[in-house]
Amino acid sequence: MAILNKIRQRSLFLILVIAMALFAFVLADVFKNSDGFSTADQNLLATINGIDIERDDFEKEFQNQIRRQNSDKYKGPKLSDKQIRDNVWSVELRSVILKNQFNRIGIFVEKNQMRSLIKNFSFNEFKNEDGLFDENKLNEFIANLKEISPLKYPFNGGEINYNDWNNIESDLAQNALDNSYSNMISSGLRSTLFDGKTNYHFQNDNADIKFVYFPYSSIPDSLTSVSNADLTAYIKGNSKKYSVEKSRDLVYVKFDASPSVKDEKDIADNLSKLIIDREEYSEKVLGFKNTADPESFLNRYSDIKLSNSYVFENAFDIENSSKIFNLKPGDLYGPYKEAGFIKITKLLDTKMISDSTEVRHILISYAGLGMSNLNGEPISRTKAQAKTTADSVYRLVKRNRNNFKKVLDLSSDTQSIQLAGMRKFPYNAEGFGDKFRVFSFESRVGEISIIESNYGFHVVEILSQNKKRKAVKVADLGIKIEASERTIDSIFNSASKFEILASKSDFKEVAKENNYSLRPINKVRHLNENIPGLGAQRSIVRWLYERDTDVGDFKRFNLQNGGYVVAMLTSINKAGLMSTDKASVTALPAIKNKKKAELILKKIKAETLLKISENQNQNIQTALAVNISSPTLSGVGNEPEVIGNSFGLEIGQTSKAILGNSGVFYVSLDKLNIAQDLPNYLTFANNLSASKINNLNTKIYEALKEASEIEDNRGLFY
């Protein structure tokens, strides 16, 4: 009771304490979100020209692309989540930027134009009995989709709902607007006949010149000095060249989980124990040497499963090939190291086989195997119908081999149709099933048969076989060479020890003292996934861009294939102009050359080429038939300023000093050879136009993207 009384007496004090605690909690949350990323922004993936891209919408499209890749119909390359997200972003970014531009200039697709676009696309669903576009069928189709939404309806070999149809119309409209916009720009880029004439003379006029050349390299670097102010001024004056995006630099030490020599010896010893028979639970277990069932034995003990194929001598490493190839059936070779495995090889059988064969075949495929007919349409026949057709083709060809060409168009192998159905391939070629291979190599020339494979039913005739050679069938008892737990623990200890030492001293010095290789990596962008030498390491990139990560901080990360990396942030590069230290690699030589040019000019007082040559003890050099389109001086290099100025001189006139790529030049024009005029310059004008509009759509988009205001927050989410 006494305690309760005391609590009651101090209730006001307790209320104040609780209130202060709640206030502090709220205030902390405010500060946490005050760094440009508030709670309201946590679904904002990006802003493009004032248009917000929500993360939820982006993720929905990402999941759609994931489902598309995982579907049976997808035949493209397997993409990582990062690659799929990048593709979704690229499509969305392009769409928003172009739509913004289309709205600004007032171009859009009207209903009648959309109908025309659909008509030109020739969807079979909208054709009448005569094969012509029927707008009534289109209207009926759209109305039906709208009525049953969100249910799906068959369309163009698949199924779609009303929302899918709207997306199809949107894509058609986008493509039409892209083309209209591109055509508007390309029409303004057409070259005139005057442009064509100018281009013709640039290519065909040439000049003979004399020149005196003072290389920048003739002035010692010691006679020039470059200050930070010089560097800064040069960088600002060439801002486009030295503009950089925000990035991070790092250096890392990698601790590979590489198997040790002892690991390899242990694997070899364990494999050797499997050779001989042994007792298990009072029962005799046959070893690899005596087993009569090598397939089951390998399934239980080996990382390499039994292959039913025969191989020739060149299938083995040169070091081991003759030793394995000359074994007798039942003999063993090993343990030995090959292709990342420790192996013991047992010879099972030998056979004389042709190393290549030529056949001709007709493939009768069926639905579900992903094959198409000659028109590119998916095959719809059933497996039973395919077998019936294959039997009929077999009887027809068996009766008369000349009938083969008559039924060749039935084949689903559209590539071999162009070669009269013929295929020539080596014994171990990939892409042919075991049954197809066995028949083609082990049956006699002239035999014909029906062979079933993963592609359907093949009617196959053997046309020729090379001379037979010895081939062997082997069983490889193999274990992949991997680091043992002992080695992995040792690597972990080394990485941990390095971290501890680096925390007490200098990261780079500790690496040097312990003979660890330091790998510097520059310009890591905030959305990069791969780091050179490490592969996919998104976790490192995200850490580099975390608010709490400062220059000099380091952290240990796990590597995907085992092992560790300790990475240190060495530089935070803000968007804008490159630092003088980094820009100096290219800026310093350019500034020095400019200062050297000033020193050279101070020495030159004469105004004619001969006087300049005599006063400076420099030879007068000659260049014949120099050309504006290919502005190269023999023995000097690419000098467009020099050659361009030459064409503006009078005969015998000496130019003023020309600051070229490699030095200071004084030029005199000896002879100007003007090409004979043509009656018409349309070809040259057309060639100029073609070069301007080449890859125009990409150039337009890149220009619009560069002019857009893009706030990309993807790095905060992924």
Side-chain angles (χ1 to χ4, degrees), residues 88-184:
V88 173
W89 167 256
S90 296
V91 171
E92 183 66 18
L93 181 65
R94 179 184 178 87
S95 175
V96 172
I97 289 175
L98 290 177
K99 282 181 180 177
N100 182 63
Q101 185 68 6
F102 299 155
N103 291 336
R104 287 180 61 189
I105 64 176
I107 61 172
F108 50 89
V109 173
E110 295 180 335
K111 181 179 178 180
N112 290 338
Q113 186 181 358
M114 177 56 68
R115 291 295 189 262
S116 178
L117 292 172
I118 295 171
K119 177 182 178 180
N120 293 337
F121 215 83
S122 297
F123 291 114
N124 291 327
E125 285 80 359
F126 311 138
K127 292 180 179 178
N128 59 23
E129 295 177 354
D130 298 325
L132 302 175
F133 175 74
D134 188 335
E135 189 168 344
N136 292 327
K137 282 183 173 288
L138 170 63
N139 293 334
E140 182 182 344
F141 177 82
I142 296 174
N144 183 49
L145 277 182
K146 195 171 184 179
E147 182 178 346
I148 66 172
S149 181
L151 299 178
K152 295 194 172 186
Y153 191 79
F155 177 73
N156 199 33
E159 289 186 337
I160 64 170
N161 58 25
Y162 184 63
N163 186 57
D164 297 328
W165 174 254
N166 286 333
N167 290 335
I168 290 173
E169 285 196 348
S170 178
D171 290 341
L172 290 174
Q174 182 74 26
N175 289 334
L177 290 171
D178 285 357
N179 291 332
S180 297
Y181 187 67
S182 174
N183 290 336
M184 290 167 62

Side-chain angles (χ1 to χ4, degrees), residues 309-541:
S309 296
Y310 285 77
V311 295
F312 299 102
E313 188 172 3
N314 59 7
F316 304 101
D317 281 355
I318 296 176
E319 184 180 349
N320 305 306
S321 59
S322 61
K323 298 170 185 175
I324 296 172
F325 204 68
N326 292 320
L327 292 173
K328 296 178 181 178
D331 286 352
L332 306 179
Y333 173 73
Y336 65 98
K337 182 178 176 180
E338 182 183 74
F341 291 84
I342 301 294
K343 296 181 180 180
I344 297 175
T345 297
K346 181 178 182 179
L347 188 80
L348 301 179
D349 191 24
T350 62
K351 185 184 290 187
M352 300 299 290
I353 299 176
S354 298
D355 60 4
S356 69
T357 185
E358 185 175 23
V359 303
R360 63 177 177 176
H361 80 128
I362 295 172
L363 170 62
I364 309 298
S365 191
Y366 50 88
L369 300 181
M371 303 294 290
S372 303
N373 59 25
L374 284 173
N375 297 323
E377 300 170 345
I379 292 174
S380 58
R381 72 168 70 93
T382 65
K383 182 176 181 179
Q385 290 171 333
K387 181 63 168 67
T388 301
T389 302
D391 289 338
S392 299
V393 170
Y394 170 76
R395 287 192 295 270
L396 192 66
V397 174
K398 185 78 171 175
R399 192 180 309 121
N400 186 342
R401 303 301 167 92
N402 291 329
N403 289 331
F404 195 96
K405 293 182 179 179
K406 296 179 181 179
V407 292
L408 187 59
D409 285 347
L410 295 174
S411 181
S412 303
D413 186 355
T414 53
Q415 291 182 339
S416 70
I417 287 178
Q418 301 173 7
L419 303 171
M422 296 183 186
R423 289 278 194 180
K424 187 172 185 178
F425 56 95
Y427 178 76
N428 284 314
E430 296 182 359
F432 296 91
D434 287 342
K435 292 180 182 178
F436 195 104
R437 178 183 290 104
V438 169
F439 173 77
S440 302
F441 283 89
E442 299 187 18
S443 299
R444 294 189 302 273
V445 172
E447 286 197 28
I448 185 171
S449 182
I450 298 177
I451 306 296
E452 185 177 359
S453 77
N454 293 333
Y455 302 102
F457 297 97
H458 305 257
V459 180
V460 189
E461 179 187 6
I462 303 174
L463 299 178
S464 66
Q465 294 170 338
N466 279 12
K467 185 177 179 181
K468 295 183 183 295
R469 297 193 293 129
K470 177 185 174 182
V472 298
K473 182 179 180 181
V474 298
D476 286 323
L477 176 61
I479 300 296
K480 188 175 181 180
I481 302 172
E482 294 178 330
S484 65
E485 289 294 329
R486 177 189 62 248
T487 299
I488 292 172
D489 288 344
S490 174
I491 293 167
F492 175 80
N493 291 335
S494 296
S496 299
K497 182 181 177 182
F498 175 78
E499 275 190 286
I500 294 170
L501 292 173
S503 66
K504 298 176 181 179
S505 183
D506 180 84
F507 186 95
K508 296 180 180 179
E509 286 299 322
V510 172
K512 185 177 180 181
E513 290 168 4
N514 289 274
N515 294 320
Y516 291 133
S517 176
L518 272 171
R519 176 92 185 256
I521 304 295
N522 297 329
K523 297 182 181 178
V524 179
R525 307 281 190 250
H526 73 294
L527 289 171
N528 284 165
E529 180 178 28
N530 294 316
I531 292 180
L534 301 178
Q537 285 293 333
R538 182 66 189 150
S539 58
I540 295 180
V541 178

Side-chain angles (χ1 to χ4, degrees), residues 214-227 230-231 234 242 583-600 659-664:
F214 300 90
Y216 297 132
S217 58
S218 65
I219 305 295
D221 284 351
S222 58
L223 297 181
T224 62
S225 61
V226 179
S227 65
D230 293 331
L231 273 170
Y234 183 83
Y242 292 102
S584 63
V585 176
T586 55
L588 200 59
I591 298 170
K592 284 186 175 181
N593 285 346
K594 186 176 180 181
K595 289 180 176 288
K596 289 178 179 181
E598 292 171 356
L599 294 176
I600 293 169
L659 274 59
N661 291 332
S662 57
V664 177

Side-chain angles (χ1 to χ4, degrees), residues 70-86:
N70 293 335
S71 70
D72 295 335
K73 295 181 179 179
Y74 180 75
K75 303 300 180 184
K78 179 73 174 177
L79 303 178
S80 68
D81 285 359
K82 172 68 166 54
Q83 290 171 317
I84 294 175
R85 280 198 176 94
D86 286 347

Side-chain angles (χ1 to χ4, degrees), residues 578-701:
M578 194 182 295
S579 69
T580 54
D581 286 343
K582 293 182 178 179
S584 63
V585 176
T586 55
L588 200 59
I591 298 170
K592 284 186 175 181
N593 285 346
K594 186 176 180 181
K595 289 180 176 288
K596 289 178 179 181
E598 292 171 356
L599 294 176
I600 293 169
L601 293 178
K602 287 180 181 179
K603 299 189 299 181
I604 311 299
K605 304 299 181 183
E607 295 184 353
T608 66
L609 201 66
L610 182 60
K611 287 292 184 181
I612 293 171
S613 169
E614 291 174 350
N615 292 348
Q616 301 300 323
N617 196 26
Q618 290 286 334
N619 292 329
I620 294 177
Q621 301 184 50
T622 300
L624 302 177
V626 296
N627 176 269
I628 289 179
S629 291
S630 302
T632 302
L633 278 177
S634 179
V636 177
N638 190 50
E639 293 291 351
E641 289 284 338
V642 176
I643 292 176
N645 273 278
S646 301
F647 279 78
L649 298 173
E650 299 292 338
I651 301 297
Q653 180 185 0
T654 299
S655 71
K656 294 182 179 180
I658 303 170
L659 274 59
N661 291 332
S662 57
V664 177
F665 295 81
Y666 290 87
V667 181
S668 175
L669 179 63
D670 264 7
K671 183 180 180 183
L672 185 61
N673 305 302
I674 304 297
Q676 184 177 357
D677 280 336
L678 300 177
N680 189 286
Y681 296 96
L682 184 60
T683 300
F684 286 88
N686 288 340
N687 289 340
L688 265 182
S689 296
S691 66
K692 289 178 183 178
I693 64 176
N694 180 40
N695 207 20
L696 180 61
N697 286 343
T698 299
K699 294 174 182 176
I700 292 171
Y701 171 63

